[in-house]
Amino acid sequence: TYHKFHNLTLEQIDYWNSQGMIWDYQEYKNSQKKDLETKQSTLEKYTKLFHNDSEKAACVVSCLKVLREKRSSRQKEDYHIDNILAEFDIDLETLQSYLERTRTRDSKEKAEPMKYKEGTLRRFCIDNGYNYDVVRRAIKLHDFCQYDSLEQLINRSLTSYKENGQKEPATWVYEKYGTLIKHVLLKLNLDSTSILTNMTKSTISLEEAIRHEIFLKNKENRYNDWLEQPYNYLIEQLDANKKEPDLIEDIVTAYQSLLKEYHITIEESAILLNSFMQYIETIKGYHKIDVGLETDMTKKLEKIKMYNLEEIDIEDSFFIPLEFEKGVLLGKTSKLYQRRQLLRQYIIDWDLYSLEEKEMIKLHNSFTEEEMKMIEFSRIEINNILEQTKSL
């Protein structure tokens, strides 16, 4: 990443800078020295913090480095032109036509034929005056907007860029997770602003943003930042396809190995376990909400299978829409919410009542004909869904 014996050309310097590399030998040596001093300083700080436990301090520094590199890799992520052409099934000329609209104002179109030299999208954009930041965001959005063409993704990213500058586009979040996502996060007792900001800034999934937010709520202070790495490791052991006894055994084994490897204290283990258990509870709650708000039956069944929901969770998911009215989460003290909860209570056990009992329930609660039909049809629909899931 540096050249010791020859001066680099301005073009070479520009290339190395664009790659985030150091091209000056002396700067490289100074950087090496600075990195070493920082590492030693951090190591000393944590060694002192952990009462001279240098082994644990080294593990913590390593965890922090992994977390740092993970965040940094998102910013430096690059793509190979050949992979882009194959992924979107287009040729170089078509790609050029899409990228033209991202050309920066002060760049001039080159007369010579375009080449992509090293094969990276970053280099390609720099050489031809295209806004790489806009294009990179468009490509990352493909993970969440899979049915959009590259042209549509670039248009989406460019429109948001012009309106919000360097801020990430947020429209895909609502298209991917629904317009009720803020209310869903509110129901899960999560900070919707923080999560949506993280998703749009880093172009990450809702699951990853929820995972991070839960850890932030539990970590107590910045000296526990490093625990996010073992916390992520525990979550990665979760496997919806495993039977519960086997999964529990795997999690316990992984947790015990973390306690030993990182010399985790009682206070740290509390943070780790609280974060992990809260994540499991929250993500399970989200899965039920996601299934409950899905109106397409085919997609609903696919999600039930993907999330591996049990019968009781499937039935619970059916009542989620009752908590919303015209796109707004109902307050639990509102009359409409309480009325719907009453209906929910009878829907659950409706098959157990005799005709006489059903008539008494109607009179006692002053249920309207519309409410009675809702109870009847809801119970039938739930039974149908449960029957269909048996063959999944």
Side-chain angles (χ1 to χ4, degrees), residues 70-202:
K70 184 178 180 181
R71 289 192 293 268
S72 178
S73 66
R74 289 200 184 106
Q75 301 299 322
K76 295 181 179 179
E77 187 174 14
D78 203 354
Y79 305 89
H80 197 285
I81 289 291
D82 289 334
N83 293 339
I84 300 298
L85 299 179
E87 175 70 22
F88 292 96
D89 193 22
I90 56 176
D91 55 28
L92 187 60
E93 185 178 353
T94 302
L95 176 62
Q96 178 185 1
S97 69
Y98 295 162
L99 298 183
E100 276 299 318
R101 64 201 67 180
T102 75
R103 187 183 293 280
T104 54
R105 291 181 179 179
D106 56 348
S107 63
K108 296 181 179 179
E109 187 171 355
K110 297 189 176 183
E112 66 271 17
M114 295 207 316
K115 298 178 181 179
Y116 52 95
K117 298 180 181 179
E118 306 297 329
T120 66
L121 181 63
R122 184 195 297 270
R123 184 71 254 162
F124 185 66
C125 289
I126 290 173
D127 284 347
N128 295 281
Y130 300 136
N131 189 323
Y132 174 69
D133 190 49
V134 169
V135 180
R136 178 185 63 84
R137 293 174 185 176
I139 302 242
K140 291 185 74 174
L141 280 175
H142 184 51
D143 289 338
F144 305 97
C145 309
Q146 297 177 355
Y147 298 104
D148 281 7
S149 67
L150 179 58
E151 182 179 20
Q152 291 171 318
L153 293 171
I154 289 176
N155 287 340
R156 184 198 296 270
S157 180
L158 185 60
T159 299
S160 182
Y161 180 85
K162 288 178 178 178
E163 293 176 354
N164 305 311
Q166 295 296 330
K167 294 179 182 179
E168 292 279 350
T171 54
W172 66 267
V173 175
Y174 296 99
E175 293 179 12
K176 173 71 175 178
Y177 297 103
T179 55
L180 296 178
I181 184 61
K182 279 193 173 183
H183 297 283
V184 169
L185 293 172
L186 177 63
K187 179 173 171 55
L188 293 171
N189 298 316
L190 295 171
D191 185 338
S192 63
T193 300
S194 176
I195 288 177
L196 295 178
T197 298
N198 191 14
M199 290 175 69
T200 54
K201 181 180 179 181
S202 305

Side-chain angles (χ1 to χ4, degrees), residues 310-328:
E310 298 176 356
E311 281 196 9
I312 188 172
D313 298 324
I314 297 171
E315 185 157 343
D316 282 346
S317 73
F318 183 87
F319 300 109
I320 296 297
L322 298 182
E323 300 183 34
F324 293 85
E325 177 65 17
K326 296 180 180 179
V328 177

Side-chain angles (χ1 to χ4, degrees), residues 59 62 117 139 179 187 214 272 306 309 321 341:
C59 289
S62 177
K117 298 180 181 179
I139 302 242
T179 55
K187 179 173 171 55
I214 288 174
L272 187 58
M306 178 173 66
L309 294 187
Q341 290 305 302

